[in-house]
Coordinates of all heavy atoms in Angstrom, one line a residue:
A93 N 75.4 94.0 124.7 CA 74.7 95.1 123.9 C 75.6 96.2 123.6 O 75.5 96.8 122.5 CB 73.4 95.5 124.7
G94 N 76.5 96.5 124.5 CA 77.5 97.6 124.2 C 78.4 97.3 123.0 O 78.6 98.1 122.1
V95 N 78.9 96.0 123.0 CA 79.7 95.6 121.9 C 79.0 95.6 120.6 O 79.4 96.2 119.6 CB 80.2 94.1 122.2 CG1 80.9 93.5 120.9 CG2 81.3 94.2 123.3
A96 N 77.7 95.1 120.6 CA 76.9 95.1 119.4 C 76.6 96.5 118.9 O 76.7 96.8 117.7 CB 75.6 94.3 119.7
A97 N 76.3 97.4 119.8 CA 75.9 98.7 119.4 C 77.1 99.5 118.9 O 77.1 100.2 117.9 CB 75.3 99.5 120.6
A98 N 78.2 99.4 119.6 CA 79.5 100.1 119.2 C 79.9 99.6 117.8 O 80.2 100.4 116.9 CB 80.6 99.9 120.2
R99 N 79.8 98.3 117.5 CA 80.2 97.8 116.2 C 79.2 98.3 115.1 O 79.6 98.7 114.1 CB 80.2 96.3 116.3 CG 81.3 95.7 115.5 CD 81.7 94.3 115.9 NE 80.6 93.5 116.2 CZ 80.6 92.4 117.0 NH1 81.7 92.1 117.7 NH2 79.5 91.7 117.2
A100 N 77.9 98.1 115.4 CA 76.9 98.5 114.4 C 77.0 100.0 114.0 O 76.9 100.3 112.9 CB 75.5 98.1 114.9
L101 N 77.1 100.8 115.1 CA 77.1 102.2 114.8 C 78.4 102.7 114.1 O 78.4 103.6 113.3 CB 76.8 103.0 116.1 CG 75.4 102.7 116.7 CD1 75.2 103.3 118.0 CD2 74.3 103.0 115.7
S102 N 79.5 102.0 114.4 CA 80.7 102.3 113.7 C 80.6 101.9 112.3 O 81.0 102.7 111.4 CB 81.9 101.5 114.3 OG 82.1 101.9 115.7
D103 N 80.0 100.8 112.0 CA 79.8 100.3 110.6 C 79.0 101.2 109.8 O 79.3 101.6 108.7 CB 79.2 98.9 110.6 CG 80.2 97.8 111.0 OD1 81.4 98.1 111.1 OD2 79.7 96.7 111.2
V104 N 77.9 101.7 110.4 CA 76.9 102.5 109.6 C 77.4 103.9 109.3 O 77.1 104.5 108.3 CB 75.5 102.4 110.2 CG1 75.4 103.4 111.4 CG2 74.4 102.8 109.2
S105 N 78.3 104.4 110.2 CA 78.7 105.8 110.1 C 80.1 105.9 109.6 O 80.5 107.0 109.2 CB 78.7 106.4 111.5 OG 79.6 105.8 112.4
G106 N 80.9 104.8 109.7 CA 82.3 104.9 109.3 C 83.2 105.6 110.4 O 84.3 105.9 110.1
L107 N 82.6 105.9 111.5 CA 83.3 106.6 112.6 C 83.4 105.6 113.8 O 82.6 104.7 114.0 CB 82.5 107.8 113.1 CG 82.3 108.8 111.9 CD1 81.3 109.9 112.4 CD2 83.6 109.5 111.5
K108 N 84.5 105.8 114.6 CA 84.8 104.9 115.7 C 83.9 105.2 116.9 O 84.1 106.2 117.6 CB 86.3 105.0 116.1 CG 86.7 104.0 117.0 CD 87.6 102.9 116.3 CE 87.8 101.7 117.2 NZ 87.1 100.5 116.8
C109 N 83.0 104.3 117.2 CA 82.1 104.4 118.4 C 82.7 103.5 119.5 O 83.1 102.4 119.2 CB 80.7 104.0 118.0 SG 80.0 105.0 116.7
L110 N 82.7 104.0 120.7 CA 83.4 103.3 121.8 C 82.4 103.1 122.9 O 81.4 103.9 123.0 CB 84.6 104.0 122.3 CG 85.8 104.1 121.2 CD1 86.9 104.9 121.8 CD2 86.3 102.7 120.9
I111 N 82.7 102.1 123.8 CA 81.8 101.9 125.0 C 82.3 102.6 126.2 O 83.5 102.4 126.6 CB 81.7 100.4 125.3 CG1 81.4 99.6 124.0 CG2 80.7 100.1 126.4 CD1 81.7 98.1 124.2
K112 N 81.4 103.3 126.9 CA 81.8 103.8 128.2 C 81.1 103.0 129.2 O 79.8 103.0 129.3 CB 81.4 105.3 128.3 CG 82.1 106.0 129.6 CD 81.4 107.2 130.0 CE 80.3 106.9 130.9 NZ 79.4 108.0 131.3
W113 N 81.8 102.3 130.0 CA 81.2 101.4 131.0 C 80.2 102.1 131.9 O 80.6 103.2 132.3 CB 82.3 100.8 131.8 CG 81.9 99.7 132.8 CD1 81.8 98.4 132.6 CD2 81.6 99.9 134.2 NE1 81.4 97.7 133.7 CE2 81.2 98.6 134.7 CE3 81.5 101.0 135.0 CZ2 80.8 98.4 136.0 CZ3 81.1 100.8 136.3 CH2 80.8 99.6 136.8
P114 N 79.1 101.6 132.2 CA 78.6 100.3 131.7 C 77.7 100.3 130.5 O 77.5 99.3 129.8 CB 77.8 99.7 132.9 CG 77.3 101.0 133.6 CD 78.3 102.1 133.4
N115 N 77.1 101.5 130.2 CA 75.9 101.4 129.3 C 75.9 102.5 128.3 O 74.8 102.8 127.7 CB 74.6 101.4 130.1 CG 74.4 102.8 130.8 OD1 75.3 103.4 131.3 ND2 73.2 103.3 130.7
D116 N 77.0 103.3 128.1 CA 76.9 104.4 127.1 C 77.7 104.0 125.9 O 78.8 103.3 126.0 CB 77.5 105.7 127.7 CG 76.7 106.2 128.8 OD1 75.6 105.8 129.0 OD2 77.3 107.1 129.5
I117 N 77.3 104.5 124.7 CA 78.1 104.5 123.5 C 78.6 105.9 123.2 O 77.7 106.8 123.1 CB 77.4 103.9 122.3 CG1 76.8 102.5 122.6 CG2 78.3 103.9 121.1 CD1 77.8 101.5 122.9
L118 N 79.9 106.1 123.1 CA 80.4 107.5 122.9 C 81.0 107.6 121.4 O 81.5 106.6 120.9 CB 81.5 107.8 123.8 CG 81.2 107.7 125.3 CD1 82.4 108.2 126.1 CD2 80.0 108.5 125.7
L119 N 80.8 108.8 120.9 CA 81.5 109.1 119.6 C 82.2 110.4 119.9 O 81.6 111.4 120.3 CB 80.4 109.2 118.5 CG 80.8 109.6 117.1 CD1 82.0 108.7 116.7 CD2 79.7 109.4 116.2
R120 N 83.5 110.4 119.6 CA 84.4 111.5 119.9 C 84.2 112.0 121.4 O 84.1 113.2 121.6 CB 84.2 112.6 118.9 CG 84.6 112.2 117.5 CD 84.7 113.3 116.5 NE 85.0 112.8 115.2 CZ 84.4 113.0 114.1 NH1 83.4 113.8 114.0 NH2 84.8 112.5 113.0
G121 N 84.0 111.1 122.3 CA 83.9 111.4 123.7 C 82.6 111.9 124.2 O 82.4 112.3 125.3
K122 N 81.6 111.9 123.2 CA 80.2 112.4 123.6 C 79.2 111.3 123.5 O 79.4 110.4 122.7 CB 79.8 113.6 122.7 CG 80.7 114.8 122.9 CD 80.2 115.9 122.0 CE 81.0 117.2 122.3 NZ 80.8 118.2 121.4
K123 N 78.1 111.4 124.3 CA 77.2 110.3 124.3 C 76.3 110.3 123.1 O 75.6 111.2 122.7 CB 76.3 110.5 125.6 CG 75.4 109.3 125.8 CD 75.0 109.2 127.3 CE 74.0 108.2 127.5 NZ 73.8 107.9 129.0
L124 N 76.4 109.1 122.4 CA 75.7 108.9 121.1 C 74.5 108.0 121.4 O 73.4 108.2 120.7 CB 76.6 108.2 120.1 CG 76.0 107.7 118.8 CD1 75.7 108.9 117.9 CD2 77.0 106.8 118.1
A125 N 74.6 107.1 122.3 CA 73.5 106.1 122.6 C 73.6 105.7 124.0 O 74.7 105.7 124.6 CB 73.7 104.9 121.6
G126 N 72.4 105.2 124.5 CA 72.4 104.7 125.9 C 71.6 103.4 125.9 O 70.7 103.2 125.1
I127 N 72.0 102.5 126.8 CA 71.4 101.2 126.9 C 70.8 101.1 128.3 O 71.4 101.5 129.3 CB 72.5 100.1 126.8 CG1 73.1 100.2 125.4 CG2 71.9 98.7 127.0 CD1 74.4 99.4 125.2
L128 N 69.5 100.6 128.3 CA 68.8 100.4 129.6 C 68.3 98.9 129.6 O 67.3 98.6 129.0 CB 67.7 101.4 129.8 CG 66.8 101.2 131.0 CD1 67.6 101.5 132.3 CD2 65.6 102.1 130.9
A129 N 69.0 98.0 130.4 CA 68.5 96.7 130.5 C 67.8 96.5 131.8 O 68.4 96.8 132.9 CB 69.7 95.7 130.4
E130 N 66.5 96.1 131.8 CA 65.8 95.9 133.0 C 65.4 94.4 133.1 O 64.7 93.9 132.2 CB 64.5 96.8 132.9 CG 64.8 98.3 132.9 CD 63.6 99.1 132.9 OE1 62.8 99.1 131.9 OE2 63.4 99.8 133.9
M131 N 65.7 93.8 134.2 CA 65.5 92.4 134.4 C 64.2 92.2 135.3 O 64.0 92.9 136.2 CB 66.7 91.8 135.1 CG 66.5 90.3 135.2 SD 67.8 89.5 136.3 CE 67.1 90.0 137.9
E132 N 63.5 91.1 135.0 CA 62.4 90.7 135.9 C 62.7 89.3 136.3 O 62.9 88.4 135.4 CB 61.1 90.8 135.1 CG 59.9 90.5 135.9 CD 59.2 91.8 136.5 OE1 59.7 92.9 136.3 OE2 58.1 91.6 137.1
G133 N 62.8 89.0 137.6 CA 63.1 87.7 138.0 C 61.9 86.8 138.2 O 60.8 87.3 138.3
E134 N 62.1 85.5 138.0 CA 61.1 84.5 138.3 C 61.7 83.5 139.3 O 62.3 82.6 138.8 CB 60.6 83.8 137.1 CG 59.4 84.5 136.4 CD 59.1 83.9 135.0 OE1 59.6 82.7 134.8 OE2 58.4 84.6 134.2
G135 N 61.6 83.8 140.6 CA 62.3 83.0 141.5 C 63.8 83.1 141.3 O 64.3 84.2 141.3
A136 N 64.5 82.0 141.2 CA 66.0 82.1 141.1 C 66.4 82.2 139.6 O 67.6 82.2 139.3 CB 66.6 80.8 141.6
R137 N 65.4 82.4 138.7 CA 65.7 82.5 137.3 C 65.4 83.9 136.7 O 64.6 84.6 137.3 CB 64.9 81.4 136.5 CG 65.3 80.0 136.7 CD 64.7 79.1 135.6 NE 64.8 79.6 134.3 CZ 63.8 80.1 133.5 NH1 62.6 80.1 134.0 NH2 64.0 80.5 132.3
V138 N 66.0 84.2 135.6 CA 65.6 85.4 134.9 C 64.3 85.1 134.1 O 64.2 84.1 133.4 CB 66.7 85.8 133.8 CG1 66.2 86.9 133.0 CG2 68.0 86.2 134.5
G139 N 63.2 85.9 134.4 CA 62.0 85.7 133.7 C 62.1 86.3 132.3 O 61.9 85.7 131.3
F140 N 62.5 87.6 132.3 CA 62.8 88.3 131.0 C 63.7 89.5 131.3 O 63.8 89.9 132.4 CB 61.6 88.7 130.3 CG 60.7 89.6 131.0 CD1 60.9 91.0 131.1 CD2 59.5 89.1 131.7 CE1 60.1 91.8 131.8 CE2 58.7 90.0 132.4 CZ 59.0 91.3 132.5
V141 N 64.4 89.9 130.2 CA 65.1 91.1 130.3 C 64.6 92.0 129.2 O 64.4 91.6 128.0 CB 66.7 90.9 130.0 CG1 67.4 92.2 129.9 CG2 67.3 90.0 131.1

Side-chain angles (χ1 to χ4, degrees):
V95 167
R99 217 161 43 207
L101 298 175
S102 299
D103 282 353
V104 77
S105 66
L107 301 170
K108 188 104 192 111
C109 302
L110 296 172
I111 307 164
K112 194 199 88 188
W113 186 88
N115 71 317
D116 293 348
I117 303 298
L118 302 187
L119 180 47
R120 297 191 179 131
K122 295 181 173 169
K123 187 155 171 172
L124 173 71
I127 297 166
L128 176 66
E130 298 183 294
M131 185 192 76
E132 184 98 354
E134 267 170 20
R137 287 192 51 248
V138 171
F140 58 82
V141 172

